[in-house]
Amino acid sequence: MAGHSKWANIKHKKAAQDAKRGKVFTKIIKELMVAAKNGGSDPDSNPRLRQAISSAKAANMPNETIVRNVQKGAGELEGVNYEEISYEGFGPHGVAIMIEVMTDNKNRTVAEIRHLMTKYGGNLGENGSVSWMFERLGQIVIHDDTSEEDTLLEDILEAGANDFTKIESNYLISTDPTLSADVSEKLDKKGYNIISSSVEMVPKDVIEVEDSTSSKLIDLIENLEDHDDIQKIASNFEIVNRKD
């Protein structure tokens, strides 16, 4: 029975990973389509599409999937018409939340987001109510447990990035958002293992939230992240005094 239990756990973990990967692919596919729709199917003349393709490659999306959805977005193949919308609001503890959406039914989506915000002690705000608390940055994560930090710093500066932060054996590299795809490509050519490459809203300052009082806030963020129409979420909190 122990073997059966172990196998069940492995299957459950794999199912969760596959589901998460599926959600990541869905979000990237939407971004590919909207980027191509707004700026055309040529990544050389469409920086947003170039970044979306970089994100897709970092997520190991098959090339044929990338090409097909770029063609759909550009109108070369039939596809869904997605609308981009940003929402701003506050969660528990006054935490600022930015929500980026791509949807084919904005009335449904905003109603569902408002329901989640209210359910977990938050509320939607007016445009501009929290966006000033964030800045848009390119964010590239690489896995590297062999390079010297001086060598890595030299390589990322040469590639056009601004700075990096070490997180265990990974490095979070910050760039100008318009250069993120190019920096990612240059680091990839140097042999670095690109885990992810994207443009994110990064908080200028953070609010500290005690672990013991954070459950509603965490539930809100997790439920928003699980929503199919939500592409990205940014917030400005940090959990402190963790008990785990």
Side-chain angles (χ1 to χ4, degrees):
M1 292 299 292
H4 171 77
S5 177
K6 182 178 180 181
W7 173 239
N9 288 337
I10 290 172
K11 286 198 297 183
H12 290 154
K13 287 180 180 178
K14 184 178 185 302
Q17 289 169 350
D18 288 347
K20 186 175 182 181
R21 185 169 182 258
K23 281 188 175 293
V24 169
F25 272 26
T26 298
K27 293 177 188 295
I28 293 174
I29 284 169
K30 286 183 178 181
E31 177 63 18
L32 288 167
M33 292 176 66
V34 171
K37 174 187 174 184
N38 292 340
S41 60
D42 181 5
D44 290 335
S45 59
N46 184 344
R48 181 175 176 182
L49 179 59
R50 192 160 63 249
Q51 175 60 59
I53 292 172
S54 177
S55 298
K57 289 180 177 178
N60 295 315
M61 181 178 287
N63 189 62
E64 59 268 25
T65 303
I66 296 173
V67 171
R68 183 172 65 253
N69 285 287
V70 168
Q71 290 175 333
K72 285 181 179 180
E76 298 165 14
L77 294 176
E78 186 176 352
V80 180
N81 185 29
Y82 291 110
E83 182 177 1
E84 289 184 279
I85 313 168
S86 293
Y87 297 106
E88 305 178 28
F90 294 91
H93 307 283
V95 167
I97 300 175
M98 292 285 300
I99 304 169
E100 296 183 15
V101 164
M102 286 186 188
T103 179
D104 58 355
N105 186 331
K106 66 178 181 180
N107 292 330
R108 178 201 67 219
T109 300
V110 69
E112 291 172 352
I113 291 174
R114 183 175 286 112
H115 170 73
L116 287 173
M117 294 288 279
T118 302
K119 179 178 179 180
Y120 293 104
N123 62 278
L124 285 178
E126 299 292 329
N127 286 342
S129 58
V130 304
S131 57
W132 60 273
M133 303 181 192
F134 298 83
E135 59 180 331
R136 191 172 290 274
L137 291 174
Q139 300 275 270
I140 302 165
V141 178
I142 65 172
H143 177 77
D144 190 321
D145 52 9
T146 59
S147 298
E148 295 289 335
E149 287 197 8
D150 287 346
T151 301
L152 176 59
L153 179 59
E154 182 179 334
D155 285 345
I156 70 166
L157 291 176
E158 184 180 319
N162 301 328
D163 198 3
F164 70 83
T165 302
K166 186 173 183 179
I167 307 171
E168 297 179 351
S169 57
N170 293 334
Y171 291 87
L172 173 62
I173 299 167
S174 297
T175 76
D176 182 297
T178 63
L179 300 177
S180 182
D182 292 336
V183 171
S184 180
E185 184 177 343
K186 289 175 182 177
L187 291 173
D188 181 60
K189 287 180 178 178
K190 283 182 175 288
Y192 288 103
N193 180 14
I194 309 295
I195 303 299
S196 64
S197 174
S198 60
V199 175
E200 306 289 344
M201 294 293 286
V202 178
K204 298 175 183 177
D205 294 294
V206 296
I207 295 173
E208 292 187 346
V209 177
E210 290 284 336
D211 185 35
S212 59
T213 62
S214 66
S215 59
K216 263 201 166 183
L217 176 58
I218 297 300
D219 286 344
L220 172 59
I221 297 299
E222 288 181 346
N223 276 274
L224 289 172
E225 287 179 339
D226 282 342
H227 195 288
D228 288 340
D229 293 340
I230 294 178
Q231 288 290 100
K232 295 179 182 178
I233 297 171
S235 55
N236 67 339
F237 73 95
E238 178 181 9
I239 302 296
V240 296
N241 297 325
R242 290 183 180 274
K243 295 179 180 179
D244 52 4

